[in-house]
Amino acid sequence: MKDETIGIHGLAFNEPLLFDQGSSGRTGCSLPEVDVPEVKTERLLPKKLLRRDIPGFPELSEVEVVRHFTRMSQWNYGVDLGFYPLGSCTMKYSPKINEEVWQLPGLSRAHPYQPESLVQGALELMYELERYLAEVSGMDRVSLQPAAGAHGELLGMMLIRAYLESKGNPRKRVLVPDSAHGTNPASSAICGYQVVQIKSGPKGYVEPQSVAEVMDEDVAAIMVTNPNTLGLFEEPIAEVAKIVHSKGGQVYCDGANLNAILGISRPGDTGIDVLQFNLHKTFSVPHGGGGPGAGPVGLKAHLAPFMPVPVVEKKGERFALNHHLPSSVGKVRAFYGNFAALVRAYAYIRSLGPSGLRRVSEVAVINANYLMSQLKSHYHLPYDKFCKHECVFSDARQVPHDVHTLDIAKRLMDYGFHPPTIYFPLIVRGALMIEPTETESKETLDQFIAAMKRIAEEAERDPELVRSAPHKTKVSRLDEVKAARQPNLRWRPKGSDPTLSASG
Amino acid sequence: MYPEDLRYTKEHEWIKVDGDRGRVGITHFAQSQLGDVVFVELPKVGKPLRQMDTFGVVESVKAVSDLYCPVTGQVLEVNSTLESKPEQVNADPYGKGWMIVVKIAEPKELGKLMTADRYKTYLAAEGH
Amino acid sequence: MQYIPNTDADCRMMLDAIGVRSSEELFADIPSRLRLKRGLNLPPPLSETGLMKHMRALANRNADVDRYSSFLGAGAYNHLVPATVSHLVFRAEFYTAYTPYQPEISQGTLQAIYEYQTLICQLTGMEIANASMYDGSSALAEAVLMAHRINGRTEVLMPRAVHPEYRMVCRTYASKLGLRLHELPYTDKGATDLKQVKAGLSQRTSCVVIQSPNFFGGLEMLDEMAEAAHAVGALLIVCVPEPVSFGIIRSPGECGADIVVGEGQSFGNALNFGGPYLGFFATKEAYLRSMPGRLVGQTEDKEGRTGYVLTLSTREQHIRREKATSNICTNEGLCALTATVHLSLLGRTGLRELALLNLRKSAYAKEAIAKLRGYELRFSGPTFNEFVVRAKKRTPAKVNRALLGKKIIGGLELGRFYPELSDCLLICVTEQNSREEIDALCKIMGGAR
């Protein structure tokens, strides 16, 4: 039978580790001229501090290094290769012009401690970006310091704690819905809070009643995600916020899903006190294979005194860094933020403008609903109503054939797609969370729909084909049990055992 | 699957009583839910525990669970072979997969635990 | 709009398929009073040409290390970046990929992280390393939290010779969990006072933090610190913001460190006005399950082929949630890849030579400045590529003003962090500073009014 999957085999290479190739004495780098006296190291440093050598360190020429990483890159899937519908990750296309701008020497080759008069351009960019993010979210101020979403969450919870401390009692507990991302409870715990889980209601959102039942003067905050991880707008968010505020608590919003509501609804207008942005999601900063991203935090005026330092201020026509906020929580990282990511988000916002951003959300939501409407004939949809930028299916209709979400995900690779997010949110068994984003064409969506339908058919007709997928990738399913039982986390020279001792 | 001579907790531990000593592990249901066990963290001998205190952690590739002590007492023995063979928890949860032995301080507490029948009913009620 | 392929006509077809007349119906569940009833108050869109002009104008209002000579260090270093690095790291398969949760189609990223973990272990002399943290300062904070998780103690010894911003970050993180940081003084040698460390240690001490080279460029006696800490059951955490020093300085692992953290920006990552940077984190096997961050492990597939996966994830937030070792999710993946490529190009001899060049250029500058009238070296101990100079006749601000006039960015004025050193400058010299630049620096410093 003709193979109709998009994914095909190509010429890929086996490429050994850096440490298993090269040869003694090779180098791939040209160092600057030695134009100072070559004083003996022993004259400059105590002998006992000296290191003679780094055994096992790679020794390769430039061409070997280039081939090494070029070959390895061919084993990867990226947004520039194809559809990457990871729910809650917003894998949208990263505009190439943004890659040009952050590398301008004035932006990428400036030292953070240069005098302020020599970094006015950078400071202006940060000042303006703060204003733009505040406007988009309906917040009053924004801290650009955190390096990632989870980092921003941590800062957000610190701000809440500092605010409540200033009111006399930091309180002990934080409410977190069962649909929340794992970073939410983890961030609360680092701030010294005990996490109390709230069950989502039958309609998929948190019911005000559930909150009222547990809200008291010992609860510091509730952490919500809106739109939530089911891709649904938390309709009663304003009432929930009111309940929490009435007992003096604060409302934290996980802004990971902002791509659904740009220019349509603003968290700050719904009662949110703090939220984090994920610039590597909503604002097109590339994901880098696991970062770097940026997680700025938007906040309402009452939390501003506690912002981390420094903040960027404008005095007349000049911009300055203010390091002295008496009630500041301090710093969550050295220097000012993931500036190169901030530059790209700034460029993205300047490129799209207000109507462009609104169009982003409109099309993201249309794309997701289109997928949902076309897939529900073949996959179980736990919440059958219009979604926002992402939709969540389950494997309930495939399980009777002993085909599960994991198998569907692996088979999608053979069709040339990156799988959606799987097994999250935890409240849906066998969840498949699909977020197309606005940067996908209808043709791509149709190809994905066709593939998903074929896989559903395969699950009935030839389940073993799906269970044994993927068939076309460089490696097939990997033994994760072995990886965890006998951790081998680094290369070691031949003759030594790379796995850790059993006591790990 | 659920030996009659054991007692069970709501957190899916079992205890086998022998005089004033109790051997503890996790049930067949628990190990099947976890999947392949990759690591078990056990307490030091001598550690005092109250009923339902956590005495350790059991880890699989996709999940991690706290382990709860069915009775108040002191840790007398620890199954050190689980360090190199955590898979014993899956293969033989009531035998070679045992985790700790405790000295039972309050025999009356055993009355709060479930019999095999009650545990089976409990599992059914939870939808398993 | 070029980033949104679907036109109005495409959207019309999809809306028909969904069964609605307009996209408004898809937003009907948002209560009316929560809808924004105006356009966003943002500047109108720029074309690519317009954007480029605007960004160049912004960039031109910044100085950079190409147009100025720079002698700034203090946790961010101007080092060479071979041209090869960007050609590899900015391959779309690397930088437009996500976290490698689906290993079968992420082997490129995963093998690179495995190599990175290995390189960090080799440099630090430790047994295991994670896939990266946000930066050196937060890596240090996480190390302090980890020490507390391991021994349950709450006192932390934190020398003033540790980077001031790193100390501030530690304070911010640690205060939420009841940890107390005790500051320790430095000596006239420009290193942490070992006697004071010993005096500060007790059974309540969780860890001792030592930075080496420290903020003043000075080298610390790690062996003695390790011994003292271990004698009371405390951990030694070594922090290295300038890891080029690993090329010639004995590794912290060999000296007895329990956790080694630091900043990988020096390895191929641009200065970028402060970020993104790269936190590295390494420790002993025994502490594996307490270590935060992602880990990549080697394994096999069903056919016995070697492959790599994220492993031991149960420690992490997406599974362990509130009991996780950290809340970290997205880290600095591409920066770690950059460091891996960079170190591969430098290699065993290249890194050593680079470190030697830094040491010798810095020594040359140090010697020349010490001879200048009106200046003296503030500390007498050995340094790597940074050192502190005391300006006796003019304020540091005046000195730097004179230098700026000749397009030289001088050393960091220390008064902002150390009031007792307000007459001092922290000068950093790397392989990027030519002899001519160093001579110019000395000439102008010598003649500064």
Side-chain angles (χ1 to χ4, degrees), chain A residues 477-484 488-489, chain C residues 100 103-104 107 110-111 114 117 295-300 307-313:
Chain A
R477 293 197 205 187
L478 292 157
D479 190 344
E480 299 192 14
V481 175
K482 178 178 176 172
N488 172 348
L489 307 173
Chain C
E104 298 87 346
Q107 287 298 295
L110 287 163
Q111 178 167 325
Y114 183 82
Q117 286 170 190
L295 282 171
V296 170
Q298 192 185 85
T299 184
E300 286 171 357
Y308 300 90
V309 287
L310 289 175
T311 189
L312 299 174
S313 322

PDB file of all heavy atoms in Angstrom, chain A residues 477-484 488-489, chain C residues 100 103-104 107 110-111 114 117 295-300 307-313:
ATOM      1  N   ARG A 477      11.290   3.917  20.174  1.00  0.00           N
ATOM      2  CA  ARG A 477      11.059   4.264  21.582  1.00  0.00           C
ATOM      3  C   ARG A 477      12.232   3.846  22.445  1.00  0.00           C
ATOM      4  O   ARG A 477      12.768   2.758  22.319  1.00  0.00           O
ATOM      5  CB  ARG A 477       9.783   3.595  22.087  1.00  0.00           C
ATOM      6  CG  ARG A 477       8.555   4.159  21.398  1.00  0.00           C
ATOM      7  CD  ARG A 477       7.308   3.821  22.155  1.00  0.00           C
ATOM      8  NE  ARG A 477       6.171   3.817  21.235  1.00  0.00           N
ATOM      9  CZ  ARG A 477       4.908   3.677  21.612  1.00  0.00           C
ATOM     10  NH1 ARG A 477       4.626   3.504  22.897  1.00  0.00           N
ATOM     11  NH2 ARG A 477       3.952   3.686  20.718  1.00  0.00           N
ATOM     12  N   LEU A 478      12.573   4.761  23.333  1.00  0.00           N
ATOM     13  CA  LEU A 478      13.772   4.563  24.151  1.00  0.00           C
ATOM     14  C   LEU A 478      13.415   3.991  25.518  1.00  0.00           C
ATOM     15  O   LEU A 478      12.335   4.249  26.049  1.00  0.00           O
ATOM     16  CB  LEU A 478      14.497   5.900  24.296  1.00  0.00           C
ATOM     17  CG  LEU A 478      15.101   6.372  22.973  1.00  0.00           C
ATOM     18  CD1 LEU A 478      15.294   7.880  22.974  1.00  0.00           C
ATOM     19  CD2 LEU A 478      16.441   5.696  22.741  1.00  0.00           C
ATOM     20  N   ASP A 479      14.327   3.255  26.059  1.00  0.00           N
ATOM     21  CA  ASP A 479      14.116   2.606  27.356  1.00  0.00           C
ATOM     22  C   ASP A 479      14.318   3.612  28.482  1.00  0.00           C
ATOM     23  O   ASP A 479      15.439   3.814  28.967  1.00  0.00           O
ATOM     24  CB  ASP A 479      15.100   1.434  27.496  1.00  0.00           C
ATOM     25  CG  ASP A 479      14.781   0.563  28.692  1.00  0.00           C
ATOM     26  OD1 ASP A 479      14.011   1.005  29.572  1.00  0.00           O
ATOM     27  OD2 ASP A 479      15.305  -0.561  28.767  1.00  0.00           O
ATOM     28  N   GLU A 480      13.208   4.246  28.883  1.00  0.00           N
ATOM     29  CA  GLU A 480      13.315   5.280  29.916  1.00  0.00           C
ATOM     30  C   GLU A 480      13.485   4.667  31.304  1.00  0.00           C
ATOM     31  O   GLU A 480      13.993   5.309  32.216  1.00  0.00           O
ATOM     32  CB  GLU A 480      12.087   6.184  29.872  1.00  0.00           C
ATOM     33  CG  GLU A 480      11.983   6.879  28.522  1.00  0.00           C
ATOM     34  CD  GLU A 480      10.970   8.008  28.477  1.00  0.00           C
ATOM     35  OE1 GLU A 480      10.519   8.461  29.541  1.00  0.00           O
ATOM     36  OE2 GLU A 480      10.639   8.440  27.361  1.00  0.00           O
ATOM     37  N   VAL A 481      13.043   3.422  31.440  1.00  0.00           N
ATOM     38  CA  VAL A 481      13.221   2.756  32.731  1.00  0.00           C
ATOM     39  C   VAL A 481      14.695   2.519  32.974  1.00  0.00           C
ATOM     40  O   VAL A 481      15.229   2.802  34.052  1.00  0.00           O
ATOM     41  CB  VAL A 481      12.440   1.429  32.760  1.00  0.00           C
ATOM     42  CG1 VAL A 481      12.733   0.681  34.048  1.00  0.00           C
ATOM     43  CG2 VAL A 481      10.957   1.696  32.627  1.00  0.00           C
ATOM     44  N   LYS A 482      15.376   2.035  31.946  1.00  0.00           N
ATOM     45  CA  LYS A 482      16.819   1.801  32.082  1.00  0.00           C
ATOM     46  C   LYS A 482      17.541   3.110  32.374  1.00  0.00           C
ATOM     47  O   LYS A 482      18.431   3.177  33.224  1.00  0.00           O
ATOM     48  CB  LYS A 482      17.347   1.179  30.783  1.00  0.00           C
ATOM     49  CG  LYS A 482      18.835   0.940  30.808  1.00  0.00           C
ATOM     50  CD  LYS A 482      19.324   0.279  29.529  1.00  0.00           C
ATOM     51  CE  LYS A 482      20.850   0.183  29.641  1.00  0.00           C
ATOM     52  NZ  LYS A 482      21.433  -0.596  28.582  1.00  0.00           N
ATOM     53  N   ALA A 483      17.130   4.180  31.682  1.00  0.00           N
ATOM     54  CA  ALA A 483      17.787   5.477  31.886  1.00  0.00           C
ATOM     55  C   ALA A 483      17.658   5.935  33.325  1.00  0.00           C
ATOM     56  O   ALA A 483      18.564   6.561  33.869  1.00  0.00           O
ATOM     57  CB  ALA A 483      17.176   6.514  30.946  1.00  0.00           C
ATOM     58  N   ALA A 484      16.521   5.605  33.971  1.00  0.00           N
ATOM     59  CA  ALA A 484      16.313   6.038  35.355  1.00  0.00           C
ATOM     60  C   ALA A 484      16.930   5.069  36.353  1.00  0.00           C
ATOM     61  O   ALA A 484      17.403   5.482  37.410  1.00  0.00           O
ATOM     62  CB  ALA A 484      14.828   6.194  35.639  1.00  0.00           C
ATOM     63  N   ASN A 488      23.110   7.140  33.350  1.00  0.00           N
ATOM     64  CA  ASN A 488      24.370   7.393  32.652  1.00  0.00           C
ATOM     65  C   ASN A 488      24.280   8.812  32.133  1.00  0.00           C
ATOM     66  O   ASN A 488      23.703   9.075  31.091  1.00  0.00           O
ATOM     67  CB  ASN A 488      24.522   6.379  31.502  1.00  0.00           C
ATOM     68  CG  ASN A 488      25.710   6.695  30.610  1.00  0.00           C
ATOM     69  OD1 ASN A 488      26.317   7.764  30.679  1.00  0.00           O
ATOM     70  ND2 ASN A 488      26.057   5.758  29.752  1.00  0.00           N
ATOM     71  N   LEU A 489      24.842   9.742  32.927  1.00  0.00           N
ATOM     72  CA  LEU A 489      24.586  11.154  32.667  1.00  0.00           C
ATOM     73  C   LEU A 489      25.762  11.889  32.063  1.00  0.00           C
ATOM     74  O   LEU A 489      25.747  13.106  31.904  1.00  0.00           O
ATOM     75  CB  LEU A 489      24.177  11.842  33.986  1.00  0.00           C
ATOM     76  CG  LEU A 489      23.022  11.166  34.729  1.00  0.00           C
ATOM     77  CD1 LEU A 489      22.815  11.825  36.082  1.00  0.00           C
ATOM     78  CD2 LEU A 489      21.741  11.232  33.912  1.00  0.00           C
TER      79      LEU A 489
ATOM     80  N   PRO C 100      13.164  18.892  24.716  1.00  0.00           N
ATOM     81  CA  PRO C 100      13.134  17.566  24.081  1.00  0.00           C
ATOM     82  C   PRO C 100      12.295  16.513  24.818  1.00  0.00           C
ATOM     83  O   PRO C 100      12.804  15.467  25.203  1.00  0.00           O
ATOM     84  CB  PRO C 100      14.618  17.175  24.052  1.00  0.00           C
ATOM     85  CG  PRO C 100      15.224  17.912  25.193  1.00  0.00           C
ATOM     86  CD  PRO C 100      14.495  19.218  25.266  1.00  0.00           C
ATOM     87  N   PRO C 103      11.775  12.360  22.649  1.00  0.00           N
ATOM     88  CA  PRO C 103      13.186  12.120  22.362  1.00  0.00           C
ATOM     89  C   PRO C 103      13.478  11.618  20.947  1.00  0.00           C
ATOM     90  O   PRO C 103      14.532  11.949  20.405  1.00  0.00           O
ATOM     91  CB  PRO C 103      13.591  11.057  23.393  1.00  0.00           C
ATOM     92  CG  PRO C 103      12.322  10.460  23.892  1.00  0.00           C
ATOM     93  CD  PRO C 103      11.292  11.521  23.757  1.00  0.00           C
ATOM     94  N   GLU C 104      12.524  10.871  20.346  1.00  0.00           N
ATOM     95  CA  GLU C 104      12.813  10.297  19.025  1.00  0.00           C
ATOM     96  C   GLU C 104      13.107  11.362  17.986  1.00  0.00           C
ATOM     97  O   GLU C 104      13.821  11.098  17.012  1.00  0.00           O
ATOM     98  CB  GLU C 104      11.642   9.429  18.551  1.00  0.00           C
ATOM     99  CG  GLU C 104      11.327   8.224  19.435  1.00  0.00           C
ATOM    100  CD  GLU C 104      10.367   8.547  20.571  1.00  0.00           C
ATOM    101  OE1 GLU C 104      10.145   9.751  20.845  1.00  0.00           O
ATOM    102  OE2 GLU C 104       9.833   7.612  21.171  1.00  0.00           O
ATOM    103  N   GLN C 107      16.935  14.067  19.148  1.00  0.00           N
ATOM    104  CA  GLN C 107      18.238  13.492  19.496  1.00  0.00           C
ATOM    105  C   GLN C 107      19.375  14.499  19.340  1.00  0.00           C
ATOM    106  O   GLN C 107      20.384  14.398  20.029  1.00  0.00           O
ATOM    107  CB  GLN C 107      18.511  12.239  18.668  1.00  0.00           C
ATOM    108  CG  GLN C 107      17.675  11.025  19.097  1.00  0.00           C
ATOM    109  CD  GLN C 107      17.960  10.606  20.530  1.00  0.00           C
ATOM    110  OE1 GLN C 107      19.058  10.177  20.878  1.00  0.00           O
ATOM    111  NE2 GLN C 107      16.965  10.760  21.401  1.00  0.00           N
ATOM    112  N   LEU C 110      19.308  16.487  22.546  1.00  0.00           N
ATOM    113  CA  LEU C 110      19.615  15.621  23.685  1.00  0.00           C
ATOM    114  C   LEU C 110      21.077  15.189  23.717  1.00  0.00           C
ATOM    115  O   LEU C 110      21.709  15.207  24.773  1.00  0.00           O
ATOM    116  CB  LEU C 110      18.690  14.399  23.666  1.00  0.00           C
ATOM    117  CG  LEU C 110      17.241  14.732  24.059  1.00  0.00           C
ATOM    118  CD1 LEU C 110      16.291  13.615  23.632  1.00  0.00           C
ATOM    119  CD2 LEU C 110      17.131  14.954  25.560  1.00  0.00           C
ATOM    120  N   GLN C 111      21.629  14.810  22.578  1.00  0.00           N
ATOM    121  CA  GLN C 111      23.042  14.423  22.598  1.00  0.00           C
ATOM    122  C   GLN C 111      23.908  15.628  22.949  1.00  0.00           C
ATOM    123  O   GLN C 111      24.883  15.502  23.696  1.00  0.00           O
ATOM    124  CB  GLN C 111      23.479  13.826  21.249  1.00  0.00           C
ATOM    125  CG  GLN C 111      24.964  13.465  21.253  1.00  0.00           C
ATOM    126  CD  GLN C 111      25.409  12.599  20.094  1.00  0.00           C
ATOM    127  OE1 GLN C 111      24.661  11.741  19.629  1.00  0.00           O
ATOM    128  NE2 GLN C 111      26.631  12.801  19.642  1.00  0.00           N
ATOM    129  N   TYR C 114      23.880  16.083  26.651  1.00  0.00           N
ATOM    130  CA  TYR C 114      24.721  15.053  27.276  1.00  0.00           C
ATOM    131  C   TYR C 114      26.191  15.455  27.187  1.00  0.00           C
ATOM    132  O   TYR C 114      26.951  15.333  28.155  1.00  0.00           O
ATOM    133  CB  TYR C 114      24.459  13.717  26.575  1.00  0.00           C
ATOM    134  CG  TYR C 114      25.195  12.525  27.153  1.00  0.00           C
ATOM    135  CD1 TYR C 114      24.705  11.845  28.271  1.00  0.00           C
ATOM    136  CD2 TYR C 114      26.368  12.050  26.559  1.00  0.00           C
ATOM    137  CE1 TYR C 114      25.368  10.734  28.774  1.00  0.00           C
ATOM    138  CE2 TYR C 114      27.027  10.942  27.058  1.00  0.00           C
ATOM    139  CZ  TYR C 114      26.523  10.274  28.165  1.00  0.00           C
ATOM    140  OH  TYR C 114      27.183   9.176  28.668  1.00  0.00           O
ATOM    141  N   GLN C 117      26.744  18.351  29.632  1.00  0.00           N
ATOM    142  CA  GLN C 117      26.846  17.855  31.013  1.00  0.00           C
ATOM    143  C   GLN C 117      28.248  17.293  31.261  1.00  0.00           C
ATOM    144  O   GLN C 117      28.834  17.508  32.321  1.00  0.00           O
ATOM    145  CB  GLN C 117      25.774  16.779  31.286  1.00  0.00           C
ATOM    146  CG  GLN C 117      24.374  17.344  31.441  1.00  0.00           C
ATOM    147  CD  GLN C 117      23.270  16.287  31.468  1.00  0.00           C
ATOM    148  OE1 GLN C 117      22.098  16.606  31.413  1.00  0.00           O
ATOM    149  NE2 GLN C 117      23.612  15.012  31.552  1.00  0.00           N
ATOM    150  N   LEU C 295      17.920  16.750  33.416  1.00  0.00           N
ATOM    151  CA  LEU C 295      19.055  15.855  33.231  1.00  0.00           C
ATOM    152  C   LEU C 295      18.834  15.028  31.980  1.00  0.00           C
ATOM    153  O   LEU C 295      17.720  14.571  31.717  1.00  0.00           O
ATOM    154  CB  LEU C 295      19.165  14.882  34.405  1.00  0.00           C
ATOM    155  CG  LEU C 295      19.767  15.423  35.683  1.00  0.00           C
ATOM    156  CD1 LEU C 295      19.595  14.399  36.785  1.00  0.00           C
ATOM    157  CD2 LEU C 295      21.250  15.725  35.493  1.00  0.00           C
ATOM    158  N   VAL C 296      19.882  14.821  31.200  1.00  0.00           N
ATOM    159  CA  VAL C 296      19.800  13.948  30.030  1.00  0.00           C
ATOM    160  C   VAL C 296      20.634  12.717  30.315  1.00  0.00           C
ATOM    161  O   VAL C 296      21.750  12.811  30.813  1.00  0.00           O
ATOM    162  CB  VAL C 296      20.319  14.666  28.778  1.00  0.00           C
ATOM    163  CG1 VAL C 296      20.468  13.685  27.621  1.00  0.00           C
ATOM    164  CG2 VAL C 296      19.376  15.795  28.395  1.00  0.00           C
ATOM    165  N   GLY C 297      20.070  11.559  30.003  1.00  0.00           N
ATOM    166  CA  GLY C 297      20.785  10.308  30.222  1.00  0.00           C
ATOM    167  C   GLY C 297      20.865   9.502  28.944  1.00  0.00           C
ATOM    168  O   GLY C 297      20.043   9.659  28.024  1.00  0.00           O
ATOM    169  N   GLN C 298      21.856   8.643  28.876  1.00  0.00           N
ATOM    170  CA  GLN C 298      22.021   7.780  27.709  1.00  0.00           C
ATOM    171  C   GLN C 298      21.263   6.483  27.947  1.00  0.00           C
ATOM    172  O   GLN C 298      21.199   5.987  29.068  1.00  0.00           O
ATOM    173  CB  GLN C 298      23.507   7.478  27.502  1.00  0.00           C
ATOM    174  CG  GLN C 298      23.820   6.835  26.160  1.00  0.00           C
ATOM    175  CD  GLN C 298      25.292   6.456  26.070  1.00  0.00           C
ATOM    176  OE1 GLN C 298      25.712   5.393  26.514  1.00  0.00           O
ATOM    177  NE2 GLN C 298      26.091   7.325  25.502  1.00  0.00           N
ATOM    178  N   THR C 299      20.680   5.945  26.903  1.00  0.00           N
ATOM    179  CA  THR C 299      19.975   4.666  27.014  1.00  0.00           C
ATOM    180  C   THR C 299      19.943   4.013  25.636  1.00  0.00           C
ATOM    181  O   THR C 299      20.711   4.403  24.759  1.00  0.00           O
ATOM    182  CB  THR C 299      18.564   4.861  27.603  1.00  0.00           C
ATOM    183  OG1 THR C 299      17.958   3.579  27.780  1.00  0.00           O
ATOM    184  CG2 THR C 299      17.685   5.705  26.686  1.00  0.00           C
ATOM    185  N   GLU C 300      19.039   3.043  25.456  1.00  0.00           N
ATOM    186  CA  GLU C 300      18.935   2.357  24.176  1.00  0.00           C
ATOM    187  C   GLU C 300      17.493   2.311  23.725  1.00  0.00           C
ATOM    188  O   GLU C 300      16.578   2.378  24.548  1.00  0.00           O
ATOM    189  CB  GLU C 300      19.394   0.900  24.337  1.00  0.00           C
ATOM    190  CG  GLU C 300      20.876   0.753  24.485  1.00  0.00           C
ATOM    191  CD  GLU C 300      21.229  -0.686  24.858  1.00  0.00           C
ATOM    192  OE1 GLU C 300      20.314  -1.517  25.041  1.00  0.00           O
ATOM    193  OE2 GLU C 300      22.438  -0.947  24.971  1.00  0.00           O
ATOM    194  N   GLY C 307      20.669   6.032  22.369  1.00  0.00           N
ATOM    195  CA  GLY C 307      19.870   7.242  22.268  1.00  0.00           C
ATOM    196  C   GLY C 307      19.902   7.986  23.578  1.00  0.00           C
ATOM    197  O   GLY C 307      20.447   7.490  24.580  1.00  0.00           O
ATOM    198  N   TYR C 308      19.340   9.183  23.603  1.00  0.00           N
ATOM    199  CA  TYR C 308      19.370  10.024  24.795  1.00  0.00           C
ATOM    200  C   TYR C 308      17.967  10.462  25.163  1.00  0.00           C
ATOM    201  O   TYR C 308      17.126  10.678  24.280  1.00  0.00           O
ATOM    202  CB  TYR C 308      20.277  11.251  24.544  1.00  0.00           C
ATOM    203  CG  TYR C 308      21.693  10.833  24.222  1.00  0.00           C
ATOM    204  CD1 TYR C 308      22.082  10.608  22.907  1.00  0.00           C
ATOM    205  CD2 TYR C 308      22.607  10.592  25.245  1.00  0.00           C
ATOM    206  CE1 TYR C 308      23.367  10.166  22.613  1.00  0.00           C
ATOM    207  CE2 TYR C 308      23.894  10.159  24.955  1.00  0.00           C
ATOM    208  CZ  TYR C 308      24.261   9.933  23.635  1.00  0.00           C
ATOM    209  OH  TYR C 308      25.519   9.490  23.354  1.00  0.00           O
ATOM    210  N   VAL C 309      17.703  10.567  26.462  1.00  0.00           N
ATOM    211  CA  VAL C 309      16.384  10.990  26.949  1.00  0.00           C
ATOM    212  C   VAL C 309      16.535  11.911  28.153  1.00  0.00           C
ATOM    213  O   VAL C 309      17.531  11.839  28.871  1.00  0.00           O
ATOM    214  CB  VAL C 309      15.521   9.792  27.426  1.00  0.00           C
ATOM    215  CG1 VAL C 309      15.014   8.976  26.287  1.00  0.00           C
ATOM    216  CG2 VAL C 309      16.278   8.941  28.432  1.00  0.00           C
ATOM    217  N   LEU C 310      15.496  12.718  28.384  1.00  0.00           N
ATOM    218  CA  LEU C 310      15.409  13.415  29.663  1.00  0.00           C
ATOM    219  C   LEU C 310      15.124  12.335  30.694  1.00  0.00           C
ATOM    220  O   LEU C 310      14.308  11.445  30.466  1.00  0.00           O
ATOM    221  CB  LEU C 310      14.261  14.426  29.645  1.00  0.00           C
ATOM    222  CG  LEU C 310      14.477  15.657  28.772  1.00  0.00           C
ATOM    223  CD1 LEU C 310      13.214  16.514  28.741  1.00  0.00           C
ATOM    224  CD2 LEU C 310      15.640  16.508  29.292  1.00  0.00           C
ATOM    225  N   THR C 311      15.785  12.396  31.812  1.00  0.00           N
ATOM    226  CA  THR C 311      15.580  11.339  32.798  1.00  0.00           C
ATOM    227  C   THR C 311      15.492  11.886  34.206  1.00  0.00           C
ATOM    228  O   THR C 311      15.749  13.063  34.455  1.00  0.00           O
ATOM    229  CB  THR C 311      16.707  10.291  32.687  1.00  0.00           C
ATOM    230  OG1 THR C 311      16.369   9.175  33.502  1.00  0.00           O
ATOM    231  CG2 THR C 311      18.043  10.849  33.135  1.00  0.00           C
ATOM    232  N   LEU C 312      15.090  11.000  35.112  1.00  0.00           N
ATOM    233  CA  LEU C 312      14.933  11.374  36.526  1.00  0.00           C
ATOM    234  C   LEU C 312      14.042  12.608  36.661  1.00  0.00           C
ATOM    235  O   LEU C 312      14.261  13.464  37.515  1.00  0.00           O
ATOM    236  CB  LEU C 312      16.304  11.596  37.174  1.00  0.00           C
ATOM    237  CG  LEU C 312      17.175  10.335  37.139  1.00  0.00           C
ATOM    238  CD1 LEU C 312      18.566  10.615  37.660  1.00  0.00           C
ATOM    239  CD2 LEU C 312      16.542   9.227  37.977  1.00  0.00           C
ATOM    240  N   SER C 313      13.041  12.657  35.788  1.00  0.00           N
ATOM    241  CA  SER C 313      12.157  13.823  35.765  1.00  0.00           C
ATOM    242  C   SER C 313      11.228  13.878  36.952  1.00  0.00           C
ATOM    243  O   SER C 313      10.565  14.876  37.179  1.00  0.00           O
ATOM    244  CB  SER C 313      11.284  13.793  34.520  1.00  0.00           C
ATOM    245  OG  SER C 313      12.010  13.306  33.431  1.00  0.00           O
TER     246      SER C 313
END
